[in-house]
Amino acid sequence: MQFFDYSFSFLGAHDIWMLSTALLCSVFLMDDLFIDLVAFIKRKKAKKISDKEFTQMNSIPERKIGIMVANWHEDQVLERMIAGNIDNIDYSNYEFFIGAYPNDQLTLEAARRAEKKFKNVTVIVNNLDGPTSKGQMLNLIINYINAYNKENQSKAIEIVLMHDAEDVIHKNALKLINLKNLEYDFIQIPVFSLNVPVSKLTAGIYIDEFIEAHTKDLLVRNYFNAGVPSAGVGTAISWSVAKMLLNLNDGKFLNEKTLTEDYYLGLTCHDLNVKSHFACEFYEYHNKETDKKIVEYIATRAYFPQKVGQSIRQKTRWSLGISLQGFELRKTKAAHFFESYFLWRDRKSLPSAPLFTSAFIFTAFFIFTYITTGDWPRL
């Protein structure tokens, strides 16, 4: 059979490999193109906060927000994170709940110093030596908050917010969460990178991925009501929902059996018909010093992994937790087609790695053969 001056037989193993690789790559590319088209046609992009909404955001009563931070060997950043965020956050009714392990003495000492310095910092010491898991630590913190709420009903935590020790919380993030909580019980705000040099290629890949996911993909997913996965940071949940999860799961807010407890949390809330929202919003202001208009996203900022080894460990955990454990642990059937479709998108990272490796190998082989012989290879 002749195809673009290339002769091949469908019975040849090389030809089957080439065609199947090209076909599957095309399917994956069409999948991404579909998301792009929906985002373009339906105008699913970051939303500018109107003057009315901005006024409302700054005027409604402040619900008390509990910011939960699980730690393991975070002594070098923890104090600066707490002090910097407390100095920066434009919100008054919140408290940090800092989890530390008894055998991580340096982090525990840093947490105690912050607790002594700031009235709105409480340290919770794990009853187990670390490291356990982020899910186990956050479950411990949630149970502490549950006991705290029972004893302090007039000052009870009304929203819990998940963060890490490296996070820079936007000054208006808590105000936006407080506003969105009027309508939604599960709120995820975007996660962007802090500035890094162009030479940091590994971090740059993360930056590209998160910008695409958090300014387009999750907005399309939200549009199709396919569930909003938690990013692990910048995730806010009403206390009523947190308490419901505790009652349903024998006192466990998060599933400790999965490597991606945050992702599983978002899907669980969706299965329970919790009203969820991905709040990708920005506002503009005029910088008098530069005489330029500044676009300011209300987003969590942090440094992404900058070394290849760190990236491999993290992405391996994501692949195992989302693609394999997510499939194993989630027993609820998808309610509609688009929910199934986005679950497939979550899990396609597992086959995509060998697929695009295969595509790279045969493309490199074809190019090398053409350069060295002046003709396409005949397999």
Side-chain angles (χ1 to χ4, degrees), residues 219-239:
L219 291 167
V220 174
R221 184 177 189 141
N222 201 70
Y223 169 74
F224 283 115
N225 189 31
V228 178
S230 165
V233 300
T235 305
I237 297 177
S238 294
W239 179 249

Side-chain angles (χ1 to χ4, degrees), residues 143 146 150 239-253:
N143 281 297
N146 192 27
K150 289 177 181 178
W239 179 249
S240 58
V241 172
K243 200 158 76 168
M244 177 175 65
L245 291 170
L246 288 174
N247 293 333
L248 286 174
N249 301 312
D250 299 322
K252 298 290 179 67
F253 171 66

Side-chain angles (χ1 to χ4, degrees), residues 201-216:
L201 297 180
T202 301
I205 292 171
Y206 274 88
I207 291 170
D208 289 345
E209 289 177 349
F210 270 75
I211 286 176
E212 184 169 12
H214 285 207
T215 61
K216 182 191 63 181

Side-chain angles (χ1 to χ4, degrees), residues 11-188:
L11 300 177
H14 292 86
D15 297 321
I16 293 173
W17 162 57
M18 182 189 74
L19 288 174
S20 60
T21 300
L23 179 62
L24 288 172
C25 283
S26 298
V27 170
F28 276 41
L29 292 172
M30 290 298 292
D31 164 46
D32 290 334
L33 179 61
F34 170 73
I35 300 297
D36 291 339
L37 287 174
V38 172
F40 177 75
I41 294 169
K42 296 297 183 179
R43 297 184 179 181
K44 294 297 155 186
K45 58 183 180 180
K47 174 191 170 187
K48 181 181 177 182
I49 300 175
S50 66
D51 292 339
K52 180 181 178 182
E53 187 177 30
F54 202 85
T55 301
Q56 185 184 15
M57 192 171 77
N58 284 279
S59 61
I60 62 173
E62 294 183 349
R63 294 171 179 80
K64 189 168 186 180
I65 298 176
I67 304 174
M68 307 184 297
V69 184
N71 299 278
W72 171 248
H73 288 174
E74 302 288 1
D75 51 286
Q76 294 185 359
V77 297
L78 183 59
E79 280 184 275
R80 282 183 290 142
M81 177 268 193
I82 295 172
N85 281 313
I86 287 176
D87 185 56
N88 181 57
I89 291 172
D90 187 11
Y91 198 87
S92 58
N93 197 14
Y94 70 95
E95 186 165 347
F96 275 99
F97 293 92
I98 308 298
Y101 292 97
N103 62 328
D104 183 6
Q105 195 62 34
L106 292 177
T107 301
L108 183 55
E109 289 172 0
R112 291 293 190 201
R113 286 194 296 269
E115 183 180 41
K116 188 177 291 187
K117 185 176 180 180
F118 301 105
K119 294 181 179 179
N120 59 342
V121 174
T122 299
V123 176
I124 297 100
V125 182
N126 206 309
N127 54 350
L128 300 173
D129 282 343
T132 53
S133 66
K134 184 178 178 181
Q136 187 274 337
M137 178 67 87
L138 290 178
N139 282 340
L140 192 75
I141 295 174
I142 280 283
N143 281 297
Y144 178 92
I145 294 174
N146 192 27
Y148 169 89
N149 279 355
K150 289 177 181 178
E151 295 179 5
N152 301 273
Q153 294 185 14
S154 62
K155 300 183 292 181
I157 301 296
E158 298 173 83
I159 303 169
V160 288
L161 175 61
M162 295 162 57
H163 271 291
D164 286 342
E166 300 88 358
D167 294 344
V168 177
I169 303 171
H170 191 278
K171 64 179 182 179
N172 288 315
L174 272 58
K175 285 188 174 181
L176 180 63
I177 288 168
N178 186 49
L179 175 64
K180 295 300 178 183
N181 188 238
L182 294 174
E183 185 176 357
Y184 303 101
D185 289 307
F186 180 101
I187 302 137
Q188 176 66 55

